Amino acid sequence: MSWTQWFIFLLILQIIHGLGTWKLYIKAGRKPWEAFVPVYNAVILMKIISRPWWWVILMFLPIVNLIMIPAAWVETARAFGKDTKLDALLCIVTLGFYLYYLNYVAGVNYVEKRKLTPKTSTGEWITSILFAIVAATIVHTYFFQPFVIPSSSLEKSLLVGDFLIVSKIHYGPRLPMTTVGAPMVHDTIPKLGTKSYLFNDHFEERNTSWMNKLQLPYFRFPGFEKIERNDIVVFGQPADTLVDMNKFTPDRNYYKPIDKKTNLVKRCVGIPGDTLEVRNGIVYINGKQNKLPNRAKVQFSYDIEFANITANSMYELSEKVKPILKKYDITDGIGYDNQRETFIIQATQEAAKKAVVHPNIASITFHGEDEGIRDSRVFPHDLKHNWNYNFFGPIWIPKAGATINLDMDNISIYKRAIGEYEGHNVVTRGNQIFIDNKPATSYTFKQDYYWMMGDNRHNSIDARAWGFVPYDHVIGKPVFIWMSIDGINDGLKNWSIRWDRVFTTVSGTGERTSYLIPFIILVLGITFFNKWRKKKKAK
């Protein structure tokens, strides 16, 4: 729904609330009209049920309000003497319409200065758990979100098994667009494996289904910095049609809402207005080679030949050479190219130069596609652009307010952005382009777009596969590694903690510095200080 439709919907809800509670307001010593005034009625209700005013804010926050509104129903019933478990259940099961019964039928009286604490220990536990979920959901949605590096696309800059804290306040937190969903989870409920939100993800029904009418329009609160070139960014995968990011063969395509698309982390190598090109795996921006931060470690694919090593299977060979490669910090596994009949590794240029001198390694040679050889997996998936992962572009990245001339040579590059991300109908008929059934030779973009790539240049599914990332898909900026586990992709059979990465910053210059010891000292200091203060007060 649009903001106007949501406004009308909320007005209807206010009328429903007023009709179901105005007599209760009178019994509580208030005026009947106060039950009908939007927002103000919620403030007065908080006074009636003896709850703090900031509950009003929580009742209007998406997802959080799924807990707070039922809590307000139950507290309203309790304020008028209906405080049994059955009363609470009736409030929730009837979606609050139990208050109509209290308002018009039941002879209830207002209970002044009622006891707010739960009567039983079970009630205390439930209350504590609910408000812990509320607090955690607010932090998770608007401030900081945990994220685990799932793939090696940023190896060696960020490693598989790095546990990150992602800041949403840097670029500005998004208001959730999906209004009905489970708190504290993303697109699926753990263990159950079922969808965690209410949305019809069939392509044919996504614009007509009543469930999808509950979506809020996109809105982002102001941040304190913009996305800069070479920032590492967490975002929703624009072309995501998977139920599970680890299952690449679903029974059909699933069209998720923006805020429920699979979360990815990549490096933003191109910002709005840039012209980007990849030459032999090296990124060029506006004709100049992109300068990466000194912590960035770029990897490429290399063909590798071994000497004096025999193995009966790929697994046996991998196990034999893994300790050799690990000496040179080559840890991204080993693959095999059936066409070239060669083994492939991912390594930095420095690591490849060092490893080739090992007596069990015969040769290491750069493995990259030649210029002009088209890779069908590469964006924009058009025969007019013979691009691959090693040679790509040049391509202009759209900027909000900027206008581009459209023709049959570049429409395939910008068609998805104009159609899918900006909501227009784009078709070509003969040699002519139509936007919303009108002939078009140019287009002015509504929002900024970014080019996200992995530092593992030849082993990363990134913007070269699915194109531009719209700003409304951006989630946040990774700022901190609080834990790092080696072996997480092996089912934790032979796992270990990378202590040198624990409590380190994601960005920065120079070698990583762990703040684990200072953090432990700080926690112990605060703990002992609180104990000392309590003893002093007791005396």
Side-chain angles (χ1 to χ4, degrees):
M1 291 192 291
S2 66
W3 287 115
T4 301
Q5 290 170 325
W6 271 107
F7 179 72
I8 295 171
F9 177 70
L10 290 174
L11 284 180
I12 293 172
L13 290 183
Q14 301 304 311
I15 294 172
I16 293 172
H17 170 80
L19 292 174
T21 58
W22 65 275
K23 286 189 175 181
L24 299 180
Y25 275 65
I26 294 174
K27 291 181 179 180
R30 309 300 306 193
K31 303 294 183 182
W33 60 265
E34 290 180 309
F36 293 89
V37 181
V39 183
Y40 177 73
N41 57 7
V43 175
I44 298 304
L45 183 63
M46 293 307 107
K47 293 181 179 181
I48 292 173
I49 65 177
S50 302
R51 292 299 180 179
W53 64 269
W54 45 262
W55 270 38
V56 176
I57 299 174
L58 301 184
M59 290 171 65
F60 284 93
L61 290 179
I63 303 302
V64 173
N65 58 9
L66 298 180
I67 297 173
M68 297 307 302
I69 291 176
W73 295 336
V74 173
E75 287 299 310
T76 302
R78 288 176 176 172
F80 291 89
K82 297 295 184 178
D83 57 357
T84 66
K85 293 179 181 178
L86 178 61
D87 292 312
L89 181 63
L90 288 172
C91 283
I92 296 170
V93 170
T94 63
L95 301 180
F97 281 97
Y98 180 60
L99 300 181
Y100 271 70
Y101 166 75
L102 303 184
N103 194 61
Y104 292 107
V105 179
V108 295
N109 294 308
Y110 180 59
V111 181
E112 294 189 46
K113 298 180 181 180
R114 66 189 179 95
K115 187 178 179 181
L116 298 179
T117 56
K119 294 181 177 180
T120 63
S121 58
T122 303
E124 289 182 3
W125 273 101
I126 293 174
T127 301
S128 299
I129 291 171
L130 286 177
F131 277 94
I133 292 174
V134 168
T137 301
I138 292 172
V139 172
H140 183 277
T141 304
Y142 299 100
F143 295 95
F144 299 98
Q145 173 182 326
F147 184 83
V148 184
I149 299 293
S151 68
S152 61
S153 66
L154 281 171
E155 208 96 0
K156 298 296 181 180
S157 303
L158 290 177
L159 307 181
V160 176
D162 279 350
F163 289 72
L164 308 179
I165 296 297
V166 178
S167 167
K168 297 188 174 182
I169 59 178
H170 275 72
Y171 305 139
R174 293 182 308 188
L175 191 72
M177 288 161 265
T178 303
T179 58
V180 182
M184 292 299 296
V185 295
H186 186 51
D187 55 352
T188 54
I189 298 176
K191 302 298 183 182
L192 298 179
T194 57
K195 189 164 59 176
S196 64
Y197 56 95
L198 189 65
F199 188 83
N200 188 328
D201 49 28
H202 288 78
F203 180 82
E204 301 79 8
E205 302 171 17
R206 61 178 183 166
N207 293 325
T208 57
S209 173
W210 68 267
M211 288 186 288
N212 299 4
K213 303 296 183 183
L214 300 176
Q215 289 283 301
L216 282 171
Y218 166 73
F219 176 80
R220 185 184 293 275
F221 294 99
F224 60 83
E225 72 176 45
K226 293 183 178 180
I227 299 176
E228 297 180 358
R229 196 179 295 119
N230 294 325
D231 275 356
I232 295 177
V233 180
V234 174
F235 57 94
Q237 211 268 48
D240 179 25
T241 56
L242 302 174
V243 175
D244 186 333
M245 68 172 291
N246 296 312
K247 297 178 181 178
F248 292 98
T249 55
D251 57 332
R252 63 174 175 85
N253 286 342
Y254 292 79
Y255 292 85
K256 304 176 183 178
I258 292 173
D259 58 336
K260 293 300 178 181
K261 292 186 176 183
T262 298
N263 293 346
L264 296 179
V265 58
K266 308 286 181 186
R267 189 182 300 279
C268 176
V269 295
I271 60 176
D274 281 348
T275 296
L276 175 141
E277 186 176 5
V278 180
R279 304 177 202 160
N280 211 24
I282 305 297
V283 174
Y284 289 82
I285 302 295
N286 303 323
K288 297 180 180 179
Q289 183 175 337
N290 186 34
K291 299 290 185 181
L292 291 172
N294 61 0
R295 279 193 188 176
K297 306 294 182 183
V298 179
Q299 291 196 144
F300 301 96
S301 290
Y302 291 89
D303 295 328
I304 185 169
E305 292 185 12
F306 299 101
N308 306 318
I309 296 179
T310 57
N312 296 320
S313 66
M314 185 69 182
Y315 175 77
E316 184 180 345
L317 175 71
S318 177
E319 290 301 304
K320 284 186 176 183
V321 302
K322 191 181 294 184
I324 297 173
L325 297 176
K326 195 169 184 178
K327 290 180 180 178
Y328 305 98
D329 201 24
I330 300 173
T331 57
D332 200 21
I334 181 169
Y336 188 78
D337 187 326
N338 291 315
Q339 291 182 338
R340 300 191 186 190
E341 296 183 345
T342 59
F343 294 104
I344 302 173
I345 59 171
Q346 313 298 323
T348 63
Q349 291 178 332
E350 295 79 8
K353 289 178 181 178
K354 292 178 180 178
V356 74
V357 302
H358 193 279
N360 292 119
I361 296 177
S363 66
I364 297 178
T365 54
F366 186 81
H367 177 113
E369 301 98 326
D370 294 329
E371 186 174 9
I373 304 297
R374 179 176 175 270
D375 187 338
S376 60
R377 301 170 301 168
V378 170
F379 178 84
H381 315 287
D382 179 19
L383 294 173
K384 291 185 177 181
H385 302 283
N386 294 322
W387 297 343
N388 54 56
Y389 271 73
N390 203 40
F391 286 91
F392 185 94
I395 188 170
W396 178 77
I397 303 170
K399 182 177 182 180
T403 301
I404 187 172
N405 293 325
L406 297 175
D407 53 43
M408 298 307 295
D409 290 330
N410 67 7
I411 185 60
S412 60
I413 297 175
Y414 301 105
K415 183 177 181 179
R416 182 174 180 84
I418 299 170
E420 182 69 20
Y421 308 143
E422 307 219 341
H424 296 285
N425 180 33
V426 184
V427 296
T428 55
R429 298 172 190 153
N431 291 323
Q432 200 166 13
I433 301 165
F434 291 83
I435 298 178
D436 297 332
N437 295 320
K438 295 180 181 179
T441 57
S442 64
Y443 180 78
T444 302
F445 288 93
K446 299 176 184 176
Q447 65 174 318
D448 286 331
Y449 292 81
Y450 300 86
W451 197 260
M452 309 291 188
M453 282 177 58
D455 292 348
N456 208 350
R457 288 288 189 255
H458 296 148
N459 193 28
S460 170
I461 300 176
D462 51 35
R464 290 168 293 179
W466 27 256
F468 310 110
V469 174
Y471 186 46
D472 60 11
H473 283 55
V474 170
I475 296 170
K477 180 177 183 176
V479 293
F480 203 68
I481 302 172
W482 65 272
M483 177 57 70
S484 185
I485 299 178
D486 188 14
I488 196 169
N489 277 0
D490 296 329
L492 297 177
K493 294 178 181 178
N494 298 300
W495 66 277
S496 61
I497 296 176
R498 305 184 187 104
W499 290 106
D500 61 321
R501 299 181 67 84
V502 175
F503 273 70
T504 62
T505 56
V506 171
S507 302
T509 58
E511 294 296 322
R512 293 184 182 276
T513 301
S514 175
Y515 295 95
L516 178 60
I517 301 302
F519 175 77
I520 293 174
I521 293 173
L522 177 64
V523 171
L524 291 175
I526 293 173
T527 302
F528 287 124
F529 174 75
N530 286 335
K531 287 184 177 180
W532 172 80
R533 189 176 62 175
K534 287 180 180 179
K535 287 181 179 179
K536 189 175 180 181
K537 284 184 177 180
K539 290 180 180 179

